[in-house]
Amino acid sequence: MAKHEHVRVAVIGSGFGGLGAAVRLRREGITDFVVLERADSVGGTWRDNSYPGCACDVPSHLYSFSFAPNPDWPRTFSGQRHIRAYLEHVTDIFGIRPHLRLNHEVLRMEWDADALRWEIETSSGSFSAEVVVSATGPLSDPRIPDVPGLDGFPGKVFHSARWDHDYDLTGKRVAMIGTGASAIQIVPAIQPRVRSLTLFQRTPPWVMPRMDRNITGAERRLHRALPFTATLRRGLLWGIRELQVGAFTKHPGELGLVEKLAKANIARAVKDPALRAKLTPSYRIGCKRILLSNTYYPAVAQPNVDVVASGLREVRGSTLVGADGSETEVDAIVFGTGFHVTDMPIAERVFGADGHSLADAWKDGMESLRGATAAGFPNWMTIIGPNTGLGNSSMILMIESQLNYLADYLRQLNVLGGRAALAVRPSAVHAWNRKVQTRMERTVWKSGGCDSWYLDANGRNTTLWPGTTGEFRRETRQVDLSEYEVLRAPRTASTTTSRPPRTKETAQ
């Protein structure tokens, strides 16, 4: 039989959020924890996404932990290989490996109201934990649309996040479905070697130039010798992006100049008026994430690339039929269609105090307090939870703010003493989300005239934070106990075979 292990904290996932949580736990003096990871190595989305051209669209010195600066980033916007290596390095230097439980996919988490702990079933054993930190991330489970006839396609099919490196695209007729951040990196990387590339574009993205370059050896030596210079560099990158937030969240009209620059970027690279018209969005820039590339437009303008300005309607054998009725014969289909963001599969595996799943609790839209705790799920916290995403800056800033909240959450449990749990009050969750959604109405993400993955099935933006990262850090600096109810376990809970009702304590 697989062994059972009890820990104080179970962290789910080993991407930036999970590893950050693990490091913070150790820095808080907590070593009784595990990191449950379904794959055979750490890295999260930077392990899973290894497609050609994969890189980050946030500058490297900002897309790294403030407590683990890397003076040796090779480029201003580093690639997937270097980001993954950075996460492996963090795992080693902070002593996280003994806490890792690789190949442990979480199948079910259930709150035991009497014992005040989580019972966790994984693919390689069971665990119980006083606190669960869910850091599975919104970009972890690929979404492939239900296209009629796809099952009958005789060629190769895969998602950008599950790239098949054993399949050689050289000389093949390839269809790229989608025009998001992954697609604009994949297209230039594969265009020179494929026979033909058909890009199915439901909505064109706004693409700005990518100010990428090699970081010189002199710069790297300076950052190693004088670490404060790397800190200053990071601070400058952060400050510039903080100043941009108002245009996205309060004054979308101010983005008009940026839109003109983006149109000029298209005109420079695409001379064909018909193609240029296909590639020019009709919505306000910023409504969907602004993408960065110096090579996307030149690649799309090549003779072996065809842009179908509609979605994929159906598949008939090896023929792909667009929504506009066009037909294309291909050998391989690559889906760059994003992830389950507002309907994360992990929510179907988490069962709270009333026995209902998190997916049920969130069936009308994701809601949490300060992007962290959900009503009905005591001692459960999520990293990169609802309304913590960003449209123009680094998610590492938001993750570190949530780690501050996690640390104070655990301190509060220590102060309470004994066997206790914190259950967020539904009224606190609703009040927080009313405030967030009221602010959201003014943002470009709601008023910009686009349909993006930021929105859930009800048209609510449950993904992004409508403010600055500095503001979010202030909001998550510490736990406000008035927003929680304290649950106490009965003294006899560990010895009795019955299930006496738990007692409650008002947190004031």
Side-chain angles (χ1 to χ4, degrees):
M1 294 179 62
K3 69 175 183 179
H4 178 90
E5 189 174 352
H6 177 76
V7 292
R8 184 180 180 194
V9 182
V11 179
I12 317 298
S14 67
F16 267 100
L19 293 178
V23 171
R24 189 56 183 266
L25 290 172
R26 287 190 61 87
R27 295 178 77 186
E28 292 290 319
I30 299 172
T31 57
D32 184 16
F33 71 90
V34 293
V35 179
L36 303 176
E37 169 56 56
R38 66 184 178 184
D40 59 3
S41 60
V42 303
T45 193
W46 295 105
R47 174 199 60 235
D48 296 342
N49 286 270
S50 60
Y51 56 79
C54 184
C56 188
D57 60 0
V58 175
S60 298
H61 281 274
L62 193 59
Y63 198 78
S64 46
F65 291 120
S66 62
F67 53 78
N70 178 18
D72 293 313
W73 287 115
R75 300 188 65 84
T76 52
F77 292 85
S78 295
Q80 175 264 346
R81 177 169 62 90
H82 297 104
I83 298 172
R84 185 178 179 185
Y86 169 77
L87 290 173
E88 293 279 2
H89 178 66
V90 168
T91 304
D92 289 329
I93 62 173
F94 287 98
I96 305 303
R97 296 221 180 263
H99 301 277
L100 290 177
R101 301 295 183 268
L102 301 176
N103 298 305
H104 279 66
E105 180 177 6
V106 171
L107 305 177
R108 184 182 177 93
M109 287 186 282
E110 184 174 351
W111 176 249
D112 185 330
D114 290 336
L116 293 187
R117 68 185 186 186
W118 286 92
E119 297 294 339
I120 307 168
E121 179 187 351
T122 80
S123 58
S124 300
S126 63
F127 298 80
S128 55
E130 297 167 25
V131 176
V132 165
V133 180
S134 181
T136 57
L139 306 183
S140 57
D141 291 284
R143 179 191 293 275
I144 293 181
D146 185 15
V147 181
L150 182 61
D151 291 344
F153 180 69
K156 192 70 177 178
V157 179
F158 51 87
H159 191 278
S160 59
R162 301 291 185 267
W163 195 270
D164 189 340
H165 291 278
D166 294 328
Y167 184 77
D168 187 3
L169 292 176
T170 304
K172 300 292 196 305
R173 300 169 299 175
V174 180
M176 180 80 227
I177 315 299
T179 52
S182 299
I184 72 158
Q185 295 178 347
I186 293 170
V187 168
I190 67 174
Q191 175 271 322
R193 58 192 177 96
V194 301
R195 175 180 166 187
S196 64
L197 178 58
T198 303
L199 181 62
F200 283 82
Q201 170 194 271
R202 244 185 353 177
T203 308
W206 285 109
V207 182
M208 293 289 286
R210 184 185 184 91
M211 304 303 181
D212 190 22
R213 63 172 179 84
N214 287 322
I215 296 178
T216 66
E219 289 174 277
R220 294 198 292 271
R221 288 192 295 273
L222 177 65
H223 293 332
R224 285 195 296 271
L226 300 172
F228 77 88
T229 61
T231 302
L232 287 174
R233 184 176 191 157
R234 176 186 176 89
L236 179 62
L237 292 168
W238 167 77
I240 291 172
R241 281 155 180 78
E242 290 290 273
L243 292 174
Q244 297 170 348
V245 170
F248 289 86
T249 61
K250 297 178 181 179
H251 310 290
E254 295 179 357
L255 293 165
L257 176 59
V258 181
E259 197 167 293
K260 290 179 181 179
L261 295 174
K263 288 180 178 179
N265 187 41
I266 300 174
R268 277 194 299 270
V270 181
K271 304 306 179 184
D272 178 8
L275 178 58
R276 195 161 60 240
K278 286 183 180 180
L279 298 174
T280 302
S282 59
Y283 56 87
R284 170 65 77 191
I285 194 169
C287 184
K288 302 179 78 165
R289 189 175 182 97
I290 301 172
L291 307 181
L292 305 178
S293 177
N294 299 325
T295 55
Y296 175 68
Y297 288 138
V300 171
Q302 294 304 306
N304 67 332
V305 179
D306 182 39
V307 177
V308 177
S310 72
L312 177 60
R313 188 177 72 195
E314 63 176 308
V315 178
R316 300 174 187 162
S318 59
T319 301
L320 273 58
V321 183
D324 60 357
S326 62
E327 297 185 1
T328 307
E329 293 276 333
V330 299
D331 305 305
I333 303 175
V334 179
F335 281 97
T337 45
F339 300 84
H340 290 275
V341 175
T342 59
D343 58 341
M344 294 185 289
I346 189 67
E348 299 174 354
R349 306 179 185 192
V350 183
F351 293 83
D354 61 2
H356 294 151
S357 71
L358 185 61
D360 283 338
W362 284 353
K363 65 180 183 298
D364 295 323
M366 299 189 299
E367 283 192 345
S368 66
L369 175 64
R370 305 177 193 276
T373 52
F377 298 83
N379 279 12
W380 181 90
M381 185 175 295
T382 181
I383 304 295
I384 315 183
N387 290 113
T388 59
L390 296 175
N392 74 313
S393 192
S394 172
M395 278 306 302
I396 311 308
L397 301 168
M398 302 296 278
I399 289 172
E400 289 195 25
S401 293
Q402 292 199 286
L403 298 183
N404 291 340
Y405 196 75
L406 167 64
D408 196 56
Y409 190 100
L410 294 169
R411 291 187 205 115
Q412 296 294 343
L413 287 175
N414 283 341
V415 170
L416 289 169
R419 296 170 60 197
L422 291 174
V424 64
R425 298 179 183 278
S427 58
V429 174
H430 297 329
W432 173 263
N433 282 276
R434 279 196 303 271
K435 181 171 70 172
V436 168
Q437 292 303 322
T438 297
R439 293 179 60 179
M440 195 67 70
E441 292 301 318
R442 299 178 60 185
T443 68
V444 69
W445 311 307
K446 284 287 286 186
S447 64
C450 73
D451 182 17
S452 73
W453 59 266
Y454 299 149
L455 309 180
D456 65 15
N458 299 313
R460 293 173 68 237
N461 189 329
T462 57
T463 305
L464 298 185
W465 168 243
T468 66
T469 62
E471 181 184 4
F472 187 77
R473 177 152 296 197
R474 291 190 295 273
E475 293 282 6
T476 54
R477 194 179 304 279
Q478 60 186 27
V479 170
D480 180 354
L481 275 183
S482 69
E483 296 177 327
Y484 289 87
E485 177 186 23
V486 175
L487 307 181
R488 291 283 187 183
R491 293 179 181 274
T492 58
S494 60
T495 58
T496 181
T497 56
S498 63
R499 298 175 66 88
R502 64 185 185 278
T503 60
K504 297 182 180 180
E505 175 183 322
T506 300
Q508 297 293 346

